[in-house]
Amino acid sequence: MKAEVRMHDLFTSSYDQLDGSIRSRVLSFIMKLSQDPEAPGLDYKIPKLAQHKLVRTARVTDNYRAVLIAAGADGDTSILYLVAVKKHDDAYDYASKLTLQVNPKTGAAELFDSAALGEVVEKARSVRPSAAAAPPLMPTGIKQKDLERFGVAPDIAEQLRQVTDEDTLEAIVSALPSSQGNAVLDLVYGKSPDQVWSDLVIEDPGEVDVDDIAAALHRPLSRLSFTAYEGENEDELRAVLEGDLAAWRVWLHPLQRKLAQHTGWNGPFRVTGGAGTGKTVTAIHRARHLARHLDTASTNKVLFTTFTKNLSRTIESQLKQLAGPKISERVDVVNIDALARRVVAATDAGRKALGDVRFVSAEGEEVRELWASAAMVGLGDWSPTFLADEWSRVVLGNAIVDEAAYLRVTRSGRAQRLTRPQRADVWQVIEQFERLMRSAGLMTFIQLAARAAATVATEPALRDQMGYRHAVVDEAQDLHPAHWKLLRSLIASGMDDLFIVGDAHQRIYGKPTPLSRYGIETRGRSRRLTVNYRTSKQILHWCLSAVDAEVDDLDLSADTLAGARSVFKGPEPEPHACDSAAGEDKALIAQINAWITDGLALSDIAVFAYDRKAVQSVADALADRGIASAVVTEQTDEDKLGNAVRVMTMHRAKGLEFRAVALVRLGADSFPPYYVQKMTGPERKLEEHKLRNVLYVAGSRARERLALIWTKKLSSLVAPPR
């Protein structure tokens, strides 16, 4: 009789502690177990001292045994949950301490070591607080009944309200069942009991039968700990357990799962949250869910788009890891610029217009020089920065093609007011700039997006030709109004049409863009994620100090990082103050060598600098010291880089993650860059806000280690490490 082998979240910590030879045996064991759990060689049995009738053990090797839960009907072997693999005697001892229960309040199935929980609570109770002790970590507004609402035992709830230090809190939370521990942490970090209930419990469990384990296992909250493995062979299982994306591939937060698998939103839905909170993970699961529910008789597809080319490649790879290579037949992953080009090239006129055009960044030096040249035809003293922004936000954003339309358009959100004569003067400059661009054979990507949106507007049949029924949009905060017009024109309004993911604190390209102006209404259909799975508590603290606490969201409201919390601890960010750029390189090399000594591979490490010149300088310094490195650009194929330190601009880091990150050239003389140092007033304030967002993005790519390196005086834009 075959078994469906699933996993409990406790299993990964057990698996991580095994050496390589035993891990391989574990993988083989799992495959054998799924074929026939009661095969004689597995020695599948009920341990004598087990507290619960569903606890089982089985032989992995002569010296190691697995601890399992038999979750099939009446405890049969049709469904088995792996809990741990330990040495023979340790496995039996662990099995004897496991408590399996149904939470009477939330209805979740809970598995935990009751003896370990009792020990940490007793230890916390025995500590007498000193007169100078810090106040309790639990907010004063959280009462004991609020903790008991989530099934926390009264004596433990009482103790949790008295805990004053993070180590004690973490010890108790770690020993609690995951469902309870997550609720406790959300309450500590500022969420209301009702918010926590909505995010975790998801659906009212009704009257809970504490003896019905099978029913409990089907509740959303249980899947925070108990989940199914969907692979078909040992290689896929190894990828689940050992890949960089192991956690998100297997265990989703109940709120993430609810958002990913919901069906029936009457229009677009928006998900926000800080870096590392699993927004992209949720989006990837959402794309798979939408693809599974497409009409099999149609040729419709799901569009998954994001801002950068590197990130789109990463997402496509992750989606295939999650759902298999055939998912590409139903989900089209393409970055927004490539999508725009595809739309324009779908018509004869569009292909002709593209011709030999060379695409350039609207913020690049080449375009800045053309703006400076064009400004000479104007009567006003217009700065290239103002002109470029006016053209991008007002002209391209509103699909304006003539002076009359520009004179009429509402310039909402623009800080500088313009009289009618001033508008006429600016329009003359813009026309001259566009002539210079055409004569040079140049086009910006925003121009491309605007043309694509206009193409679909004039040729509606293109929508059917492209064949997208749904769209999942990642990194939404960086999209331009022209991008939103393009997406709205490509995806027909309807049920579950757009799933939009973004974080305004990570806006490093675009500017605030209320979606409702483009026929994308999400008010009343949005949720915010707060649990950070990627970045340690210490690094998260630094990242949060780098940005403004509250910024605009994607639809005329405020977005905040309040309540953000990490699920693990690590070292504090490491500061390196140096005398020169050469000193920075020396400090960087010493830091990399220290990380390597601690067991990190070169490919686990990344170095970020603000500009390309600094990136190349760092790469040269690493090469001089014999440290293998690779400069990451838009064209880089990550799979071909091998074991080398990744060196790139902070902008290029978006969407990536590494075990260790070094941020360099953070001195006041080099950051902000010179062109920003020359700015004054609101213009400089806006650029500095964007630069802080860049720092937040760059720092939050680090999972465990972060180093900050600068010459002489640390830039005022950089939060000093504690």
Side-chain angles (χ1 to χ4, degrees):
M1 175 180 178
K2 290 189 176 183
E4 182 180 348
V5 180
R6 302 179 178 180
M7 300 178 199
H8 190 271
D9 63 353
L10 291 172
F11 176 68
T12 52
S13 60
S14 164
Y15 182 81
D16 289 344
Q17 295 173 21
L18 301 174
D19 63 37
S21 62
I22 298 300
R23 287 185 180 186
S24 295
R25 299 292 295 274
V26 170
L27 297 177
S28 298
F29 161 79
I30 293 173
M31 305 317 296
K32 292 176 182 176
L33 189 71
S34 65
Q35 293 300 313
D36 183 5
E38 298 182 5
L42 294 178
D43 190 31
Y44 177 82
K45 65 173 63 173
I46 302 174
K48 292 180 180 179
L49 299 179
Q51 295 185 32
H52 198 282
K53 63 181 182 179
L54 298 183
V55 176
R56 303 285 188 272
T57 69
R59 180 189 294 124
V60 177
T61 71
D62 289 342
N63 296 320
Y64 283 84
R65 292 189 71 82
V67 180
L68 309 106
I69 299 297
D74 299 320
D76 67 32
T77 59
S78 59
I79 299 175
L80 296 171
Y81 282 98
L82 271 168
V83 180
V85 171
K86 295 178 177 290
K87 288 186 176 180
H88 184 279
D89 292 348
D90 293 338
Y92 279 112
D93 181 58
Y94 185 66
S96 71
K97 297 175 181 178
L98 282 178
T99 294
L100 177 63
Q101 66 182 29
V102 177
N103 188 307
K105 301 296 181 64
T106 65
E110 298 178 334
L111 183 70
F112 61 102
D113 184 335
S114 55
L117 177 59
E119 289 173 7
V120 296
V121 172
E122 186 56 37
K123 182 178 179 180
R125 190 177 290 123
S126 65
V127 176
R128 292 181 175 274
S130 65
L137 295 174
M138 191 68 67
T140 54
I142 302 301
K143 307 303 181 185
Q144 181 160 329
K145 66 179 182 179
D146 295 321
L147 291 162
E148 292 181 17
R149 178 182 181 182
F150 296 94
V152 179
D155 60 325
I156 298 176
E158 180 183 5
Q159 189 58 46
L160 284 168
R161 294 186 66 242
Q162 299 174 27
V163 172
T164 60
D165 68 281
E166 289 190 5
D167 288 342
T168 301
L169 176 68
E170 184 173 343
I172 297 176
V173 166
S174 298
L176 282 169
S178 294
S179 59
Q180 296 181 32
N182 273 272
V184 169
L185 288 175
D186 279 344
L187 292 171
V188 167
Y189 278 82
K191 285 189 177 181
S192 71
D194 286 346
Q195 285 177 313
V196 178
W197 185 272
S198 175
D199 287 353
L200 285 175
V201 181
I202 303 298
E203 59 188 33
D204 189 342
E207 186 174 344
V208 175
D209 182 350
V210 296
D211 295 320
D212 193 345
I213 290 288
L217 286 167
H218 283 89
R219 294 192 175 102
L221 183 53
S222 299
R223 298 192 68 180
L224 185 60
S225 299
F226 297 86
T227 192
Y229 150 63
E230 298 182 354
E232 298 178 353
N233 55 54
E234 192 169 316
D235 288 339
E236 290 187 16
L237 178 58
R238 187 187 302 276
V240 168
L241 293 173
E242 298 181 4
D244 290 339
L245 305 167
W248 72 257
R249 289 192 63 196
V250 181
W251 288 280
L252 287 180
H253 186 282
L255 178 56
Q256 290 176 310
R257 191 177 299 280
K258 176 184 178 181
L259 297 175
Q261 298 181 354
H262 182 89
T263 298
W265 281 310
N266 189 26
F269 193 91
R270 178 168 52 95
V271 178
T272 63
T277 54
K279 299 182 302 301
T280 300
V281 169
T282 305
I284 290 172
H285 281 265
R286 179 65 176 167
R288 179 178 69 166
H289 172 79
L290 291 171
R292 285 175 167 177
H293 289 79
L294 285 172
D295 183 351
T296 56
S298 77
T299 58
N300 285 342
K301 300 180 74 172
V302 176
L303 169 66
F304 194 126
T305 190
T306 188
F307 192 76
T308 67
K309 187 182 295 184
N310 296 64
L311 184 53
S312 67
R313 285 195 291 259
T314 299
I315 288 171
E316 183 174 26
S317 173
Q318 293 173 354
L319 183 60
K320 288 179 179 178
Q321 287 180 48
L322 176 68
K326 288 188 176 181
I327 191 68
S328 60
E329 297 174 5
R330 303 296 270 173
V331 180
D332 189 12
V333 183
V334 56
N335 82 295
I336 193 69
D337 293 332
L339 175 67
R341 186 164 191 162
R342 186 181 298 175
V343 169
V344 172
T347 67
D348 292 338
R351 284 191 295 274
K352 183 178 180 181
L354 292 177
D356 296 325
V357 164
R358 179 164 60 90
F359 289 97
V360 292
S361 167
E363 298 181 353
E365 189 61 33
E366 194 170 9
V367 173
R368 283 176 171 276
E369 291 176 359
L370 290 182
W371 275 119
S373 178
M376 295 179 184
V377 307
L379 300 176
D381 184 19
W382 310 114
S383 76
T385 301
F386 165 78
L387 290 168
D389 204 44
E390 182 77 4
W391 178 65
S392 174
R393 310 304 299 179
V394 180
V395 176
L396 296 181
N398 290 283
I400 291 173
V401 295
D402 57 40
E403 182 179 12
Y406 179 63
L407 294 176
R408 292 194 308 268
V409 70
T410 300
R411 299 172 63 253
S412 301
R414 303 294 288 150
Q416 185 172 343
R417 296 174 61 87
L418 296 179
T419 64
R420 186 178 179 85
Q422 285 176 321
R423 286 203 194 196
D425 191 44
V426 168
W427 182 256
Q428 298 308 309
V429 175
I430 289 174
E431 282 193 318
Q432 175 65 6
F433 169 77
E434 291 183 339
R435 282 193 290 268
L436 292 173
M437 288 284 287
R438 285 193 297 271
S439 65
L442 303 178
M443 181 181 289
T444 68
F445 291 105
I446 300 304
Q447 278 182 290
L448 177 66
R451 185 176 184 110
T455 299
V456 181
T458 56
E459 301 191 37
L462 273 177
R463 174 190 287 175
D464 294 333
Q465 182 179 327
M466 301 303 290
Y468 297 126
R469 172 64 187 85
H470 309 279
V472 177
V473 185
D474 194 23
E475 302 291 351
Q477 73 280 347
D478 284 327
L479 267 58
H480 184 274
H483 294 138
W484 291 115
K485 287 187 173 184
L486 171 60
L487 290 170
R488 182 68 289 174
S489 63
L490 281 177
I491 311 297
S493 298
M495 202 73 72
D496 298 325
D497 52 357
L498 298 170
F499 188 79
I500 301 165
V501 172
D503 174 15
H505 295 85
Q506 295 187 64
R507 181 181 291 118
I508 61 177
Y509 294 104
K511 292 187 178 180
T513 302
L515 301 183
S516 55
R517 292 182 186 171
Y518 311 105
I520 302 172
E521 182 60 70
T522 65
R523 281 175 289 188
R525 291 190 298 274
S526 66
R527 292 299 293 268
R528 184 166 66 93
L529 303 177
T530 58
V531 183
N532 187 301
Y533 299 95
R534 178 173 64 222
T535 301
S536 71
K537 293 179 181 179
Q538 289 74 13
I539 295 174
L540 177 62
H541 180 271
W542 181 85
C543 292
L544 294 179
S545 67
V547 289
D548 298 325
E550 189 173 281
V551 298
D552 68 278
D553 69 355
L554 299 172
D555 218 351
L556 298 175
S557 299
D559 192 15
T560 175
L561 294 173
R565 65 176 176 87
S566 173
V567 297
F568 66 99
K569 296 173 69 174
E572 293 287 346
E574 300 178 71
H576 298 275
C578 307
D579 295 329
S580 63
E584 285 194 44
D585 293 340
K586 185 177 179 180
L588 172 64
I589 289 163
Q591 181 67 82
I592 290 174
N593 285 329
W595 285 337
I596 293 170
T597 300
D598 288 345
L600 275 68
L602 290 176
S603 57
D604 292 329
I605 301 169
V607 182
F608 304 149
Y610 183 75
D611 59 56
R612 295 177 184 176
K613 183 178 179 181
V615 165
Q616 191 57 55
S617 173
V618 167
D620 292 342
L622 294 180
D624 289 344
R625 295 299 184 93
I627 297 176
S629 68
V631 174
V632 176
T633 68
E634 188 180 54
Q635 286 74 39
T636 299
D637 184 347
E638 173 67 26
D639 294 335
K640 296 181 180 179
L641 295 184
N643 190 28
V645 174
R646 276 56 168 164
V647 187
M648 68 192 83
T649 64
M650 295 178 183
H651 287 76
R652 188 63 60 197
K654 181 182 280 287
L656 304 178
E657 61 178 78
F658 301 90
R659 291 185 64 187
V661 166
L663 306 182
V664 301
R665 309 297 194 259
L666 297 179
D669 290 341
S670 55
F671 194 83
Y674 182 64
Y675 79 87
V676 177
Q677 295 182 30
K678 293 191 299 182
M679 295 177 179
T680 59
E683 191 175 58
R684 175 160 181 164
K685 185 177 180 181
L686 182 63
E687 285 301 312
E688 289 184 344
H689 170 78
K690 189 183 295 185
L691 288 172
R692 285 194 294 272
N693 286 359
V694 171
L695 285 172
Y696 171 68
V697 169
S700 60
R701 303 306 100 190
R703 293 204 295 263
E704 305 162 28
R705 313 291 183 91
L706 177 65
L708 310 174
I709 305 176
W710 67 91
T711 296
K712 297 179 181 178
K713 183 181 178 182
L714 182 65
S715 169
S716 61
L717 296 180
V718 182
R722 288 190 289 187

